[in-house]
Structures are given as structure tokens and as C-alpha cells.
Amino acid sequence: MPQTLDQDQGDQRPDSSVDETELLSRLRAGDDAAYEELVRTYSPRLLAVARRIAGTDEDARDVIQDAFLNAFRSLKNFHGDAKLSTWLHRIVVNSALMKLRTRKRKPEESIEPLLPSFQADGHYAEKFSSWGDRADEAVSRTETQELVRQRIDELPDSFRTVLVLRDIEGLDTEETARVLDTTPNAVKIRLHRARAALRTLLAPHLGRGEL
Amino acid sequence: MKCRECDAFLVDYVSGELPAEVLATFELHLSRCRNCRTYLEQYRATIDAGKTACDAYKEGLRMPEELIQAILAAKPKAPS
């Protein structure tokens, strides 16, 4: 049975304020303790990144293991022109995307039913009601946050990855296009559709301000 | 500009990348169309909700000890 990933129950988190230069020189010197420090310091946040892109706990576990192994093997190519955390983040993103590409998948479901429709005269077919402050209040609650993440997971892979890379991980359009091997315009179109679909999925919950 | 065109420009509008010549027409439409203003508000709230929910997950995720041990055990002897 696949093991699920858990949230902290008040455990002490590793100190992320490490001296990256010092850690890097210890890693290059083959210091085993430095490698353990690297894994313990950076892996929780990177595991979360892997989980959002890969879409399942089980795949995220595979991704994080592959990513650290790739990082260790590529240490000689890391010249410190980016932060160590940024470099590791990039490796995890690429490993997660690789996992998606190699995973046996069902054909993607169409996102069209989740997009807004328009009347013949170009107006939205639906009349929208303001969410007001109810959306902010709802999202401050742990259970709503879990629901939002579940709805993101429901998006087809090609839309979820763009939304995660752009809106969650903060990559810009060009970098997203590069890692996905597509064009900036295709990224913008997919991002817009992913946001619109997620809005539709969240509307029954955020519009009411409750689950 | 109609709602359909307004919708197509949303992605550039929220990232501040809408060209000036389109921006004026876009904002004129918004000023006249309550439905598009509401949709824009929900579109932005959706982006914020995704970010908030996923950042909270990142902050709270526990790295399983057995997964850490598996990563450490898989390490080659020295960088190749």
C-alpha cells in the first residue's frame, strides 16, 4: 500500500539558514555528514514541490530520491552561479517533469467543460457573483487549503504543471516554456485555462466562504 | 471590446504585461462591465488561493525519516 506524506505535528524543522558556500565545499570534499545536512535541510520543501508537480505522494517520493542522486552526481557542474537551494529546486522540477513523461497515463480529460462559455454576442454566458472577503477567510482555514490542493491535483497534468510552475513556484513564462519544451505563448494559454478551470472547481467553496 | 476578448487578455493583465494600447481598451471595458470585474476578482482570488494552499503545504510537510535514509543509502561513494 503506498505510503502517504504527512504534515508536521509540531516537529522541529531543520534549520534552513545554512552557510551554502561552506556546505558546498564539504560536499565536494566527500563529507558524508554534509550530504546528510543537505538532504535534511532542503528535502521537506523540495518534496512538496515534487508532490505538486508529480501529482501523487508515491511519485513524489521517487522524484525526490532521483533528484538528490542527480544532484550529487552533478555537483561538479555546479559553479555557485545560483543559490544551492535554487539549483536543487531546478533539479527537482526537472525530475518531476521527467516522472510525468515516463508515467503510464490515461489520456487527459478535456478541460473545456471547466472553462467559461460565451454567448453569441461575446458576453459571458454565466452571471458571476462576487466572492468578496469570503474567499480569503475560507483559504485561511486548513481544510479549505487541503481542498484547494485536491482541486489542483484534479487538473489534467499539462495544465497542472504550468499552473504549479508559474503560480506556485514562481517561474516566469520563458523559464516555464523552457523546462516544458514549449513556447511562451503556449504557456500563457495553458496557464489561463488552468486558472479558469481551477476557478470553476473552487467557486462552489470560495463563493460560499465555507466547505 | 467584448467579454470574450477581455477574458483572453486576463493572463497578461494580471501579470502587468498587457501592451499600453490594449490596456486602455481593456480597462474601459472593465469599467463598464460588472460581470468582467467580478470574474477578474475571482480569477485573482483563485491564483491567491492556490499559492496560499501550496505554500502552507510546503511549510508543513514532514520529510519521512525512512525516505531520508533511502536517499542517504543511495548516495554513491564520491561525486563522479
Side-chain angles (χ1 to χ4, degrees):
Chain A
M1 188 169 140
Q3 289 176 287
T4 56
L5 300 172
D6 299 322
Q7 293 281 290
D8 253 337
Q9 303 296 325
D11 294 352
Q12 178 107 31
R13 304 210 90 199
D15 180 10
S16 58
S17 59
V18 293
D19 180 338
E20 290 196 347
T21 311
E22 189 249 342
L23 181 60
L24 192 57
S25 52
R26 285 168 54 212
L27 283 166
R28 286 185 168 138
D31 181 345
D32 284 345
Y35 187 64
E36 180 165 352
E37 187 178 333
L38 179 85
V39 173
R40 290 191 182 278
T41 302
Y42 296 105
S43 63
R45 289 181 71 86
L46 293 173
L47 181 62
V49 175
R51 171 64 184 82
R52 281 285 78 75
I53 297 174
T56 69
D57 287 0
E58 197 178 359
D59 284 348
R61 298 165 75 96
D62 291 344
V63 166
I64 200 77
Q65 292 184 72
D66 290 347
F68 272 104
L69 196 54
N70 289 340
F72 186 77
R73 286 176 173 152
S74 310
L75 267 174
K76 62 180 184 304
N77 301 323
F78 178 64
H79 304 299
D81 41 359
K83 285 179 70 177
L84 191 54
S85 52
T86 307
W87 179 70
L88 287 169
H89 182 272
R90 206 172 294 152
I91 291 173
V92 168
V93 166
N94 284 325
S95 297
L97 292 172
M98 186 65 72
K99 184 77 181 176
L100 277 183
R101 289 183 193 119
T102 55
R103 187 167 79 189
K104 255 191 174 175
R105 282 175 296 163
K106 296 178 290 186
E108 274 193 3
E109 284 186 29
S110 171
I111 203 168
E112 292 294 329
L114 296 174
L115 303 182
S117 53
F118 296 89
Q119 299 170 357
D121 64 2
H123 288 92
Y124 283 111
E126 182 184 345
K127 185 165 185 339
F128 304 108
S129 301
S130 175
W131 293 349
D133 293 334
R134 294 187 300 277
D136 284 345
E137 289 162 15
V139 175
S140 67
R141 291 196 290 272
T142 308
E143 61 269 32
T144 311
Q145 292 169 2
E146 176 59 29
L147 181 138
V148 171
R149 293 192 292 267
Q150 286 170 2
R151 296 299 177 265
I152 290 173
D153 286 346
E154 288 172 17
L155 296 174
D157 287 351
S158 65
F159 293 93
R160 188 186 68 254
T161 48
V162 170
L163 183 125
V164 170
L165 293 175
R166 288 284 285 110
D167 286 348
I168 315 299
E169 298 307 319
L171 270 64
D172 64 25
T173 301
E174 283 69 26
E175 190 168 9
T176 304
R178 192 177 52 71
V179 298
L180 294 175
D181 195 22
T182 186
T183 64
N185 199 44
V187 166
K188 285 184 182 183
I189 292 169
R190 263 193 259 167
L191 176 62
H192 179 54
R193 291 179 168 212
R195 287 169 172 171
L198 184 59
R199 188 211 68 83
T200 302
L201 293 169
L202 295 180
H205 311 285
L206 300 189
R208 289 205 317 259
E210 60 188 36
L211 284 171
Chain B
M1 184 179 286
K2 296 285 170 58
C3 304
R4 186 194 294 273
E5 296 161 85
C6 189
D7 183 274
F9 287 128
L10 281 176
V11 74
D12 281 334
Y13 181 70
V14 298
S15 59
E17 295 171 2
L18 207 54
E21 63 274 17
V22 183
L23 182 63
T25 318
F26 179 91
E27 290 188 329
L28 181 64
H29 176 84
L30 269 190
S31 70
R32 292 171 174 170
C33 180
R34 177 183 298 212
N35 212 28
C36 276
R37 287 200 302 276
T38 305
Y39 188 78
L40 171 62
E41 170 204 304
Q42 294 184 3
Y43 189 88
R44 283 187 160 135
T46 298
I47 298 168
D48 292 345
K51 178 83 175 140
T52 301
C54 293
D55 283 353
Y57 181 79
K58 243 183 234 182
E59 290 305 319
L61 190 63
R62 189 179 67 83
M63 184 71 181
E65 184 59 29
E66 40 82 24
L67 188 50
I68 291 178
Q69 293 304 328
I71 292 169
L72 298 178
K75 181 178 85 69
K77 289 295 172 210
S80 51

